[in-house]
Amino acid sequence: MIHALEQGGLARAARVAVLALAATAVLGGCSLFSSKVKHEPAKLKDVQQVLAVSQAWSVSVGKSGRYVMQPFVWGNNVYVSAANGGVTALDGATGRTVWQGKADVDLTSGPGSDGTLTAVAGEKGTVVAFDEKGAQKWKSTVNGEVLTAPLVGQGLVIVRTTDGRILGLDGSNGDRKWIYQRSPSALNLRSSLPMIFAGDNVILGFAGGKLGALAANNGALRWEAAVSYPRGVSEIERLNDVTGSPSIDGQQVCAASFQGRVACFDVSTGAPRWGRDFSSPTGVTQDGGSLFAADEKSIVYGFNAQNGADLWKNDALLWRDLGAPLAFGHAVIVGDFEGWLHFLASDSGKFVARVKLDGSAISAAPVVVGQTLVVQTRGGGVYGYLPK
């Protein structure tokens, strides 16, 4: 049986006082119940707006429900989805709707796209693909829960299921071309684990603290490296899945694990460059020789991306359930559970700006389209900002 922790409250769920593994099957696995230690979120203090952040546009696309609907950028467009089946392509500069599509199932993931083909995942492992005008092109089923946005490109739609399978589907019709399967872990984080292309490889994190590269054409494992190793006695103590999206900067790919480490590797070979103890539920972002991540307490850290040395830490957002971060320009940007978007100086970690969105949580990482910062909330708002 597979036990899972839900990402929507991952930081809270990880702070466990008492565990009881239930025998009742839920969604083909087992439910995990816990009594959680309650922590009071830090109260926000006023921030001097050093960075001017002006809102360029906003639209409503539908609520995310209990899933993370990660926006995706291709060219000048940003692609977004909603739990009710809606899929929308927006012009990143203006927020204008380029096209709208509608899946006939409730969605469980954000979209992936190559500008011509856009794919999303829905309930019961349904994968739906749309053409460049938003018309449904095909629908396929992978027989497993999918929480991660499909990776689209190189003639493929690559899908990962929560039971450890990675499937390469033919982009023209949805037929399966290859499958890569790992042994399921006794306990894993039930979360979105984005995949990214690096040339003809697919870079992705796995349960058990591993990072790997699959050949895009046939799904063969080209390299695998350990971000971290399980430690402790109980299953919950040994939980150390890679979290968030791998981050590539030049020839270096970095990732973080929960209750594990943050580490960087050569993107072509998987050869380790450095690693250090760290625990993150949301992953890393890097830019300009620095790497940034938030831990499960919502403390934000800056590291030297070449050797992992400390640059700074900011604990003013303690227990605010931060979403995935983004490094953009001279700032690190991260949202919280109350819909605040925080801007931290990348060289010092000091606050340089803060804006309030619609009051619903910001779990997905912000994305950048040209000079526009785009943020999607769980409440269904999509916002374009111009930081200056």
Side-chain angles (χ1 to χ4, degrees), residues 127-169:
V127 181
V128 184
F130 301 88
D131 65 19
E132 67 276 10
K133 295 183 179 179
Q136 183 174 310
K137 186 170 183 178
W138 51 260
K139 183 167 69 171
S140 184
T141 303
V142 296
N143 295 320
E145 185 183 41
V146 180
L147 302 179
T148 299
L151 180 64
V152 181
Q154 303 185 30
L156 296 166
V157 174
I158 301 173
V159 179
R160 71 181 303 163
T161 63
T162 56
D163 61 4
R165 292 177 298 132
I166 317 296
L167 302 96
L169 308 182

Side-chain angles (χ1 to χ4, degrees), residues 225-245:
V227 175
S228 59
Y229 297 93
R231 293 180 292 189
V233 178
S234 69
E235 287 184 352
I236 189 68
E237 290 173 330
R238 294 176 62 79
L239 178 65
N240 74 325
D241 296 358
V242 170
T243 56
S245 175

Side-chain angles (χ1 to χ4, degrees), residues 61 64 68-74 77-83 85-90 99 101 107-115 117-122 127-130 146-152 157-158 192 194-195 364 367 376 382:
V61 297
S64 298
V68 175
M69 299 297 181
Q70 176 64 51
F72 185 82
V73 172
W74 184 272
N77 292 343
V78 59
Y79 298 83
V80 294
S81 61
V87 183
T88 308
L90 302 170
W99 58 257
L107 299 183
T108 58
S109 85
S113 183
D114 64 0
L117 186 71
T118 300
V120 289
V127 181
V128 184
F130 301 88
V146 180
L147 302 179
T148 299
L151 180 64
V152 181
V157 174
I158 301 173
S192 172
M195 306 169 285
V367 295
Q376 182 173 358
V382 182

Side-chain angles (χ1 to χ4, degrees), residues 57-71 79-90 97 100-102 106-111 358 360-364 375-383:
W57 53 265
S58 68
V59 298
S60 180
V61 297
K63 295 181 179 181
S64 298
R66 59 194 181 97
Y67 303 103
V68 175
M69 299 297 181
Q70 176 64 51
Y79 298 83
V80 294
S81 61
N84 65 5
V87 183
T88 308
L90 302 170
T97 297
Q100 286 183 309
K102 181 74 171 180
D106 289 343
L107 299 183
T108 58
S109 85
D358 58 21
S360 61
I362 303 169
S363 301
V375 185
Q376 182 173 358
T377 72
R378 284 185 175 269
V382 182
Y383 299 82

Side-chain angles (χ1 to χ4, degrees), residues 188-226:
N188 68 287
L189 299 178
R190 185 173 174 273
S191 63
S192 172
L193 295 172
M195 306 169 285
I196 54 177
F197 283 118
D200 60 354
N201 286 342
V202 178
I203 309 296
L204 68 168
F206 296 111
K210 297 297 193 295
L211 186 71
L214 302 182
N217 64 333
N218 61 12
L221 182 67
R222 285 185 166 161
W223 60 256
E224 181 178 289

Side-chain angles (χ1 to χ4, degrees), residues 6 48 56 88 96 103 135 154 190-191 218 229 246 258 278 286 290 292 296 303 321 349 353-354 368 374:
E6 181 78 46
Q48 183 179 358
T88 308
R96 177 183 61 85
Q154 303 185 30
R190 185 173 174 273
S191 63
N218 61 12
Y229 297 93
F258 182 70
F278 191 73
Q286 60 177 325
S290 299
F292 312 97
E296 72 273 12
F303 303 107
D321 284 345
R354 179 183 295 144
V368 176
V374 179

